[in-house]
Amino acid sequence: MYRHLEHRLAQRVLECLQRRYSGVSLPGVVIEQPPNVELGDFAIPIFSFAKPLRSAPLKIAEAIRADIGALEGIAEVQVAPPGYLNVSIDRAWMAVAVAADVKPPAEIPSGKILVEHSSINPNKAAHIGHLRNAILGDTFVRLLRSSGREVDVQNYIDNTGVQVADVVVGFTHIEKKSRVEIEALTRQPRFDYYCWDLYARVSHWYAEAKQHLQVRLQTLHEIEDATTETAAIAELISVAVLRRHLETMDRLDIEYDFLPRESEILHLHFWDAAFTKLKAAGVLTFEIEGKSKGCWVMRRAGTSKPTSTTEDTEGTEEDKIREEDQKVIVRSNGTVGYVGKDIAYHMWKFGLLGRDFGYRKFYRYPNGHDCWISTVDGEKDHPHFGDVAEIYNVIDARQSEAQNTVIEALRGLGHGEAAEHYTHFSYEMVALTPRCAAELGYNLSEEDKSRSYIEVSGRKGFGVKADDLLDQLISSARKEVDSRHPQLSESERQQIATQIAIGALRYFMLKYTKQSVIAFDFKDALSFEGETGPYAQYAVVRATSIFRKAGVDPETFCADVAAKLSAADLANYLRGGVSNEFWELWLASSKTSYVIDKCIATTEPAHLAKHVFQLGQLFNTFYHRHPILSEPEEKRKQFLLATVGVVRRELIRCLAVMGIIVPPVM
């Protein structure tokens, strides 16, 4: 309701200005939140209207106040110097709507959204950095779906890239294993762990002799040719590791709809079709000199090829600048780079390529949902993927240049609208605190111990496997659950520990803004105090306990609050004395849709984590100050229970969007 009322208020203010100052182009109405509810519930700064209206902000505010009239849900509008409108909500009106869980109709944009996340190279076990990507992406999917949008979830699989080639090299050149032997290994538990160690060994092998890198190049070429034995081995390895990745993410309740693979982009000639279009549109040019001689390149926006040439092998300053302003899409040996295949893939996403994948079912989740994978010849009956209205790519900040290149290619092809609806959802890396690294068994130097965080490196074999992290979190949570609830069965305690651990991990990954480097720490993540998942879960468990002790079902109670408390009753408890404390809880509980909209608009799920923490804080303060079950006045007791009920409902709702389940006890 808060979001709905804010929109109506902004619209009314703009209408007032348009009536009084007709014919003037006006900026949008900005609505802020005052620092405390005593000043009101909305604050509208008028300063941006002063210049176009050629009037003082205070005078404009007074004019709006005089013209705005009655607005359902608004109790009072006041003018505050030097140029604000402070607006107070009709508290009883809002409380009635919140208690009844009223959801005003919202205008939902048409068209399907595609969110691509995880995109883990299928060459080794998923690690902690992949978890941040997947949790951000999955939460953004949940945010979009909660707002009514149709979403496809895709996980792009680079199964012909250098990382897969490196593991193939490890099996075939270091361990000298045959295809049959490798196939037997893929059937072993946690085959991805085996590949993790092998990948690090390959990096050392390359460092031993430069000629070893030629083996990598040869392997890359062979992988791209589907008829070779090397390609068959790469398929075995990548499929086995991919299945392990899906099992790992399934532990976090993260699902995908479709797994497009780079191999099909090559074998189904997606790139050939894109290449033809890019050349015809002049987006790509062939270089006949300089560092990129023999390559097809794409220049950054605003750059052009110089008309003069030079025979100087060192290159003029102009040549060097030009080479920095171009991106090699096709190498001189004829192989297409990652960005080129990405351009073709994104043309398919928007339905601009004129080609499609083959599809087959690959993985079935416990809830019966099927995840499909790309293939050359697929099943006839399959969902429709691609041809979407908007794209969000959850890829780390280091890929910004590549993402911008794809966007510029779309613009160069004349697809400006598609480019505008392509969003790079970027984020920063995950590291470990020295304490966490030590707990995981890594030997740290004195210098390492003094650092604020320790960076991880898959090539060096230093990092945290996702499954190891989950196992350790669950083990730590289990110790706490065992000590608090020994009367519960083994399976119950394990389930509760798992819910606490996953809640802790997901919340920890979401509470930091995307552009923050995360230093992960077990103790901080699992704490029952402060801004953590267990703290938020515990607030809900505490609220549920109140209803259990009262012998009342919380869902039934909340569904029938109107029969127990009238608008007059609510008004009575929300004005005067301690009312502001109560009102802050009801007001915060009304903001779920508002916060979700904010998360989507800014591609920043941290806003929801912050909202959950603040709501939990307000509730815990309320809980300690106001004995509910011992309240002698029946009407007041019903009001206090209603307050607990709406807070509990909204916390559960918000945590569900974050992918966090609340256990029955903690």
Side-chain angles (χ1 to χ4, degrees), residues 208-379:
E208 289 172 3
K210 288 185 178 180
Q211 62 266 31
H212 289 169
L213 289 172
Q214 294 302 314
V215 177
R216 171 196 270 177
L217 293 175
Q218 181 63 30
T219 303
L220 270 171
H221 282 295
E222 292 174 1
I223 286 175
E224 291 189 0
D225 182 352
T227 65
T228 65
E229 178 75 359
T230 303
I233 291 172
E235 174 78 359
L236 272 175
I237 294 167
S238 62
V239 167
V241 172
L242 173 57
R243 194 172 295 278
R244 282 289 303 119
H245 289 169
L246 297 190
E247 291 168 354
T248 298
M249 295 307 169
D250 195 15
R251 297 179 70 183
L252 292 160
D253 196 24
I254 295 174
E255 298 180 356
Y256 310 94
D257 300 313
F258 178 47
L259 310 170
R261 296 191 296 177
E262 189 172 277
S263 53
E264 276 68 59
I265 288 176
L266 292 170
H267 302 151
L268 292 171
H269 306 293
F270 277 31
W271 166 246
D272 294 341
F275 194 25
T276 299
K277 292 176 183 289
L278 290 163
K279 288 187 290 186
V283 176
L284 297 184
T285 56
F286 186 74
E287 291 297 295
I288 60 173
E289 60 184 358
K291 182 180 178 181
S292 300
K293 181 179 179 180
C295 301
W296 285 90
V297 303
M298 183 182 136
R299 286 178 190 81
R300 295 192 178 103
T303 65
S304 60
K305 185 174 180 178
T307 55
S308 62
T309 60
T310 178
E311 296 296 324
D312 184 359
T313 56
E314 292 294 318
T316 65
E317 192 63 30
E318 184 179 11
D319 289 329
K320 293 175 182 177
I321 292 171
R322 177 166 64 86
E323 287 167 3
E324 288 173 359
D325 285 332
Q326 62 191 12
K327 180 74 178 179
V328 172
I329 304 300
V330 182
R331 305 179 189 97
S332 58
N333 63 5
T335 60
V336 57
Y338 166 80
V339 175
K341 287 173 277 192
D342 215 25
I343 291 170
Y345 171 42
H346 284 85
M347 290 173 68
W348 168 82
K349 283 184 179 181
F350 280 118
L352 304 173
L353 195 61
R355 294 177 184 264
D356 199 5
F357 292 103
Y359 302 90
R360 66 176 172 85
K361 293 176 184 175
F362 181 74
Y363 188 89
R364 173 159 287 187
Y365 293 98
N367 61 7
H369 175 68
D370 286 316
C371 177
W372 295 72
I373 195 168
S374 66
T375 185
V376 175
D377 298 312
E379 301 174 29

Side-chain angles (χ1 to χ4, degrees), residues 81 123 185 187 191 241 345 370 482 559 585 639:
N123 69 317
L185 281 171
R187 293 193 289 269
F191 171 68
V241 172
Y345 171 42
D370 286 316
D482 286 348
L585 262 175
F639 169 74

Side-chain angles (χ1 to χ4, degrees), residues 360-666:
R360 66 176 172 85
K361 293 176 184 175
F362 181 74
Y363 188 89
R364 173 159 287 187
Y365 293 98
N367 61 7
H369 175 68
D370 286 316
C371 177
W372 295 72
I373 195 168
S374 66
T375 185
V376 175
D377 298 312
E379 301 174 29
K380 291 182 179 179
D381 187 16
H382 61 81
H384 178 68
F385 297 108
D387 195 19
V388 299
E390 299 176 55
I391 291 171
Y392 290 89
N393 284 345
V394 185
I395 305 175
D396 73 48
R398 293 170 295 182
Q399 298 297 320
S400 293
E401 183 181 354
Q403 292 291 295
N404 289 336
T405 300
V406 176
I407 293 170
E408 288 303 316
L410 290 171
R411 287 201 178 98
L413 288 166
H415 303 303
E417 185 176 355
E420 291 301 317
H421 290 92
Y422 180 127
T423 301
H424 175 200
F425 189 119
S426 68
Y427 65 94
E428 278 294 347
M429 69 174 184
V430 183
L432 307 175
T433 63
R435 178 173 63 188
C436 181
E439 288 175 1
L440 288 163
Y442 290 106
N443 293 319
L444 304 179
S445 66
E446 289 303 315
E447 182 183 355
D448 287 336
K449 293 176 183 177
S450 65
R451 293 177 178 173
S452 55
Y453 61 82
I454 308 294
E455 291 187 36
V456 298
S457 171
R459 285 198 176 275
K460 296 177 182 177
F462 181 81
V464 183
K465 301 180 188 72
D467 281 308
D468 284 351
L469 178 63
L470 285 168
D471 291 344
Q472 184 128 343
L473 282 167
I474 292 169
S475 176
S476 297
R478 177 64 188 268
K479 292 175 184 176
E480 192 71 27
V481 174
D482 286 348
S483 67
R484 294 181 181 218
H485 305 286
Q487 78 284 2
L488 297 178
S489 69
E490 167 78 17
S491 61
E492 286 175 320
R493 283 179 283 140
Q494 185 65 16
Q495 182 180 36
I496 291 168
T498 300
Q499 290 169 341
I500 292 171
I502 290 173
L505 176 61
R506 291 191 69 125
Y507 193 98
F508 194 90
M509 292 294 186
L510 293 169
K511 73 176 182 176
Y512 297 97
T513 57
K514 297 176 303 174
Q515 301 311 317
S516 302
V517 173
I518 293 179
F520 186 81
D521 187 272
F522 287 109
K523 184 176 180 181
D524 291 345
L526 281 169
S527 174
F528 278 52
E529 300 298 326
E531 193 174 354
T532 66
Y535 177 82
Q537 289 171 313
Y538 190 68
V540 178
V541 170
R542 174 173 275 170
T544 303
S545 175
I546 293 170
F547 282 99
R548 185 173 61 250
K549 290 175 181 177
V552 178
D553 176 70
E555 278 76 21
T556 303
F557 180 90
C558 288
D560 199 27
V561 166
K564 304 176 181 66
L565 293 164
S566 65
D569 293 327
L570 290 168
N572 181 50
Y573 294 116
L574 290 171
R575 65 166 177 254
V578 75
S579 66
N580 282 339
E581 180 186 326
F582 295 149
W583 173 238
E584 281 186 312
L585 262 175
W586 284 81
L587 183 63
S589 298
S590 75
K591 291 182 178 180
T592 299
S593 295
Y594 167 81
V595 175
I596 286 173
D597 275 359
K598 185 177 180 181
C599 290
I600 294 171
T602 59
T603 60
E604 184 53 88
H607 295 307
L608 187 59
K610 183 66 68 178
H611 173 65
V612 165
F613 177 56
Q614 291 172 343
L615 188 54
Q617 279 186 310
L618 288 170
F619 172 71
N620 284 326
T621 299
F622 161 84
Y623 171 83
H624 288 296
R625 288 182 181 175
H626 304 283
I628 298 167
L629 299 180
S630 60
E631 170 57 49
E633 184 188 333
E634 186 57 29
K635 280 287 185 183
R636 181 179 171 85
K637 182 177 180 179
Q638 295 295 311
F639 169 74
L640 295 176
L641 279 171
T643 304
V644 175
V646 296
V647 172
R648 176 185 176 276
R649 182 191 68 207
E650 295 308 312
L651 278 174
I652 291 174
R653 184 171 287 165
C654 291
L655 288 171
V657 174
M658 296 173 71
I660 297 173
I661 296 171
V662 178
V665 297
M666 289 186 70

